[in-house]
Amino acid sequence: MSTTSSVRLHTTVLGEGRTKIIVPLMPGASSEVPAALAALEGQPVDIIEWRVDHVADPELAVGVGVALRTSTSLPILLTYRTDREGGLGVLPDEAYAELVARLLRLELADAVDVEYSRSAVAVASLLDAARAAGVPVVASFHNFHTTPGREALLGHLRAQDGLGADVLKIAVTPRSAVDVAELLAASAAASAEFGKPLIAISMGRLGLVSRVAGSVFGSCATFATVGAASAPGQVPAAELAPLLGVFDAE
């Protein structure tokens, strides 16, 4: 699987070679980081998604980030997932952007997730912060209730592309097999249209095929678990890796 362009996250390149496995880590304090990283040993993990929204006190986030940064060589995707898109984050848009920008200035991430539907001011400030820090932006959209139609899905991805995001991401909830097919069709169309690394996920058990065979439809990475899941339908990385190999084989 390949795309027109690729994006480097430290030692890993999205958009080249096999599907990359991203595993969320959700430590609530720096004291939880050693155990979280120890669990990854021997696991097929390419990228860590640091879920900052699981740190209840934003003032503690720097300590957690430093503990992660100094204890692993794996690339870190910094994500503050707000409660509007399935996370625990309750900060208003301005504070959300300020926290993430602060963590970027401290060089605690190799890429940053930006919820593109947040306020235009917050999104613009985060894009500026990411560019200043020299890290790629993963623009994201999540719908934990339904799957929009194919054109609506493509509309979200076009908007992300229009912002100048380096990686496009969309995750939606299917209610039928037709919904899953719509997501996969949108993924294939977007991969051809934008020529950027793309992550397209149909969540839950019904959408499992999108996590396993996403590369066939242009998706460059998928999310798996080592411990707790951060979204419905995630499966253990050790179980997922051999299945990805079947679909990645040329």
Side-chain angles (χ1 to χ4, degrees), residues 158-171:
R158 288 191 184 103
Q160 294 173 4
D161 178 61
L163 289 171
D166 303 287
V167 181
L168 316 180
K169 181 191 174 188
I170 192 163

Side-chain angles (χ1 to χ4, degrees), residues 152-237:
L153 292 171
L154 285 169
H156 286 297
L157 294 168
R158 288 191 184 103
Q160 294 173 4
D161 178 61
L163 289 171
D166 303 287
V167 181
L168 316 180
K169 181 191 174 188
I170 192 163
V172 293
T173 303
R175 299 301 178 189
S176 68
V178 172
D179 284 346
V180 180
E182 285 290 284
L183 181 280
L184 295 175
S187 176
S191 179
E193 178 177 346
F194 305 119
K196 288 182 176 181
L198 167 74
I199 303 171
I201 298 169
S202 184
M203 295 185 285
R205 195 71 185 172
L206 189 59
L208 185 58
V209 64
S210 70
R211 297 185 183 275
V212 175
S215 62
V216 177
F217 303 91
S219 195
C220 70
T222 190
F223 289 74
T225 62
V226 175
S230 64
Q234 290 177 358
V235 296

Side-chain angles (χ1 to χ4, degrees), residues 1-7 14-16 190-197:
M1 184 274 299
S2 63
T3 60
T4 301
S5 63
S6 60
V7 174
L14 293 177
E16 290 184 0
S191 179
E193 178 177 346
F194 305 119
K196 288 182 176 181

Side-chain angles (χ1 to χ4, degrees), residues 34-240:
L37 291 176
L40 300 183
E41 294 182 7
Q43 297 289 329
V45 180
D46 297 297
I47 298 167
I48 291 170
E49 182 184 40
W50 172 30
R51 285 288 300 270
V52 183
D53 52 297
H54 283 253
V55 182
D57 182 352
E59 291 303 313
L60 300 178
V62 171
V64 175
V66 170
L68 278 171
R69 193 54 144 174
T70 57
S71 302
T72 182
S73 59
L74 286 168
I76 296 173
L77 168 62
L78 190 162
T79 298
Y80 182 94
R81 183 68 64 233
T82 67
D83 57 356
R84 286 169 284 186
E85 298 209 14
L88 299 181
V90 295
L91 291 176
D93 287 355
E94 183 178 353
Y96 151 68
E98 288 177 354
L99 172 62
V100 174
R102 179 186 179 194
L103 298 173
L104 290 177
R105 287 194 296 271
L106 293 172
E107 301 182 349
L108 298 179
D110 300 290
V112 60
D113 177 289
V114 175
E115 293 181 358
Y116 97 94
S117 59
R118 300 284 65 85
S119 74
V121 172
V123 171
S125 68
L126 280 178
L127 292 173
D128 288 344
R131 300 298 178 237
V135 302
V137 170
V138 179
S140 66
F141 170 79
H142 304 76
N143 188 321
F144 279 78
H145 304 289
T146 188
T147 297
R150 190 181 314 180
E151 284 306 311
L153 292 171
L154 285 169
H156 286 297
L157 294 168
R158 288 191 184 103
Q160 294 173 4
D161 178 61
L163 289 171
D166 303 287
V167 181
L168 316 180
K169 181 191 174 188
I170 192 163
V172 293
T173 303
R175 299 301 178 189
S176 68
V178 172
D179 284 346
V180 180
E182 285 290 284
L183 181 280
L184 295 175
S187 176
S191 179
E193 178 177 346
F194 305 119
K196 288 182 176 181
L198 167 74
I199 303 171
I201 298 169
S202 184
M203 295 185 285
R205 195 71 185 172
L206 189 59
L208 185 58
V209 64
S210 70
R211 297 185 183 275
V212 175
S215 62
V216 177
F217 303 91
S219 195
C220 70
T222 190
F223 289 74
T225 62
V226 175
S230 64
Q234 290 177 358
V235 296
E239 296 178 14
L240 182 63

